[in-house]
Amino acid sequence: MRLDVVTIFPEYLEPLNVSLVGKARARGQLDVRVHDLRAWTHDRHHTVDDTPYGGGPGMVMKPGPWGEALDAVLASGTHDLPEARPALVVPTPSGRPFTQGLAVELAGRPWLVFAPARYEGIDRRVIEEYAERLTVYEVSIGDYVLAGGEAAVLVITEAVARLLPGVLGNAESHRDDSFAPGAMADLLEGPVYTKPPEWRSRAVPEVLLSGHHGRIARWRRDEALRRTGRNRPDLVERCDPGALDAHDRAVLEELGWRRLADGRFGRPPDDVEE
Ligand code: JEW
């Protein structure tokens, strides 16, 4: 897979030299190229921003440098074949949510071009222009406000790179990752432990040392359910009732969840005295 990143902060992408992505690059599994947007400016101050039409606070990234940069990056590859065409990925707080499903989709593409913005974002005409030639993904990595898209590029790149064939070693291979579509009925994962069996007077839960695989599986599932109910009630609410066995239902009811008419579970009302 080929990845290009066009940014005014190339040094922000240094982590792509490290760890999983860095190793995939060293092995030739990933071809990563980082470009300085200011290389496609022509004024003495290498200006990439200007005031917003219509007024308002902040600055907007000018379309000129982005157009020249993206044209140059696109021209540097052979994408005559439609299936080899790059996808343009633009991080923005108003994009579609970045999920494991979208990571899988992006991992299936041969070439991703990232356009992380700064200021108040990029002049809309740039996105419209490239949407006529490429698949454009405007993506949000979460409901919080970053100062620019570079950190989102690092997040998306790591989630995508680990899905590429041969990038993960056997030791860290894909298990039933939470959020992988269909994983464990969409429950969060429970806690994990390793040696020693006692650390600072804290024992590893005895069931995990019991060798009783049935009891271990049940305990892990209970812990996963408890954690999901506490941290992600939205996942419990949309859980397919067919994915829950009688024991699961008992655990949820013990935690105060109520069974609704359709078999799904409803969140107990907050702060209601019983
Ligand atoms: C994010 C890129 C570039 C992604 C996620 N644009 C914009 C914008 C910004 C702040 C508030 C409103 C709009 C700043 N900003 C970015 C923010 C990505 C840029 C400029 C981003 N959160 N924030 N998930």
Side-chain angles (χ1 to χ4, degrees), residues 91-94 116-122 139-150 152:
T92 162
S94 40
R118 285 274 149 176
Y119 310 102
E120 303 299 310
I122 305 173
V139 175
S140 167
I141 63 162
D143 291 338
Y144 38 78
V145 182
L146 302 172
E150 286 79 8

